[in-house]
Amino acid sequence: MHETDGRRSASRHHRVFLPVLAALIALAWVALWAWARSPYGRYLEHEDWTASGPAALLCRVVPAGDVVVPMVLYAAAWILMTAAMMLPTTLPLFNTFDRLTAQRPDHGRLLMLLGLGYMTVWGAFGLLAHALHSAVLSLLASVPTLAWHGWLIGAATIALAGAFQFSRLKYRCLEKCRTPLSFVVEHWRGHGQARHAFALGVQHGLFCVGCCWALMLLMFALGTGSLGWMLLLAAVMAIEKNVRWGRRLSTPLGVALLSWAVVLVATTHA
């Protein structure tokens, strides 16, 4: 009986779960591609939110619209970008949790809560990154001397991402992300299922942010609307987390980023 249930679970896993998750990831990428090529593609860059178009109209109509509308639009863009870039890196986690909870009647709801917890953490990180980005832009606008040397911020961001590749925090968090079965066994209690499924997603999201935050900040230096850079960074993070030799990618990537920052500084001063 258990063997039959196991075969049914495996069949459902390959027939339903994997195609659905793949479709969600593909849909996120297609939506980003369509958005970037639409008349509203500038919103992906988080610039000119209130200058013109529908966003400007909403800013005038909605109370405190100059703050609320950009934040909502930014959150939507960031969550879409995170879904496209980060969900592929978490496939082993969802794969493990799907198999573990396959026999539960609320299986689908638990999977959604796991994903919601994970995306909540990345959404919070995105809002913090947006606030920091806005503060930097305001500082540049108010201090002309800094504006002339604004390129230093991009170089510093790239250098920070490179240096972080050598940190102990990076490797500690990366190990948690690379061992999803151990992570789920350690944190999943199976009682109070809905609450614990969401908490499991939050906990894994925290470790995921812990190992990838510096690489994600590169999007602010490279352009948050650049699909090419998104694809490249998503591939790098997926390899680091999911491929057997992925951990060995961290050091050469750090060297490459630090070298890039040095070249930027040298060529700009030349």
Side-chain angles (χ1 to χ4, degrees):
M1 182 67 176
H2 289 294
E3 185 177 346
T4 301
D5 290 341
R7 284 199 299 268
R8 286 176 180 172
S9 174
S11 174
R12 184 207 57 78
H13 179 82
H14 288 92
R15 190 166 36 85
V16 178
F17 170 73
L18 292 179
V20 167
L21 186 60
L24 286 174
I25 294 169
L27 182 61
W29 280 108
V30 169
L32 281 172
W33 177 85
W35 189 347
R37 280 154 182 76
S38 74
Y40 312 112
R42 67 181 184 277
Y43 295 141
L44 277 177
E45 296 285 353
H46 314 305
E47 296 176 357
D48 296 328
W49 296 96
T50 61
S52 62
L57 177 61
L58 286 173
C59 286
R60 291 193 295 269
V61 173
V62 175
D66 289 348
V67 175
V68 174
V69 172
M71 184 174 293
V72 170
L73 289 175
Y74 171 78
W78 179 265
I79 289 172
L80 188 61
M81 185 172 72
T82 303
M85 295 179 67
M86 302 312 300
L87 281 183
T89 74
T90 60
L91 180 59
L93 172 72
F94 284 91
N95 183 35
T96 300
F97 191 74
D98 174 66
R99 293 180 183 277
L100 182 67
T101 61
Q103 303 304 318
R104 294 179 179 271
D106 57 349
H107 167 71
R109 184 168 68 102
L110 294 179
L111 274 172
M112 286 191 292
L113 287 168
L114 176 72
L116 181 61
Y118 179 82
M119 294 302 294
T120 296
V121 174
W122 272 109
F125 172 79
L127 289 175
L128 288 174
H130 176 59
L132 177 62
H133 186 235
S134 298
V136 169
L137 291 179
S138 297
L139 181 62
L140 291 177
S142 60
V143 183
T145 303
L146 289 177
W148 280 102
H149 298 87
W151 60 271
L152 279 171
I153 296 174
T157 303
I158 294 170
L160 174 64
F164 186 70
Q165 292 298 110
F166 300 95
S167 70
R168 293 180 61 185
L169 176 61
K170 164 80 179 187
Y171 287 101
R172 179 172 178 268
C173 293
L174 185 59
E175 283 306 309
K176 292 289 186 179
C177 294
R178 287 177 57 84
T179 54
L181 179 58
S182 298
F183 183 86
V184 172
V185 170
E186 180 183 354
H187 293 90
W188 175 246
R189 299 294 177 262
H191 53 79
Q193 294 98 329
R195 180 167 56 86
H196 280 105
F198 181 83
L200 182 67
V202 169
Q203 289 164 334
H204 194 269
L206 289 171
F207 282 111
C208 188
V209 169
C211 72
C212 298
W213 66 270
L215 290 177
M216 287 297 283
L217 282 185
L218 285 176
M219 291 307 303
F220 291 93
L222 303 172
T224 50
S226 172
L227 293 186
W229 283 115
M230 285 185 202
L231 280 167
L232 179 60
L233 288 175
V236 167
M237 290 184 287
I239 291 171
E240 271 193 328
K241 290 183 181 181
N242 300 337
V243 178
R244 183 175 300 175
W245 49 266
R247 193 179 187 277
R248 296 199 295 270
L249 181 64
S250 298
T251 297
L253 178 60
V255 171
L257 289 170
L258 287 172
S259 300
W260 185 10
V262 170
V263 169
L264 282 176
V265 173
T267 54
T268 303
H269 275 292

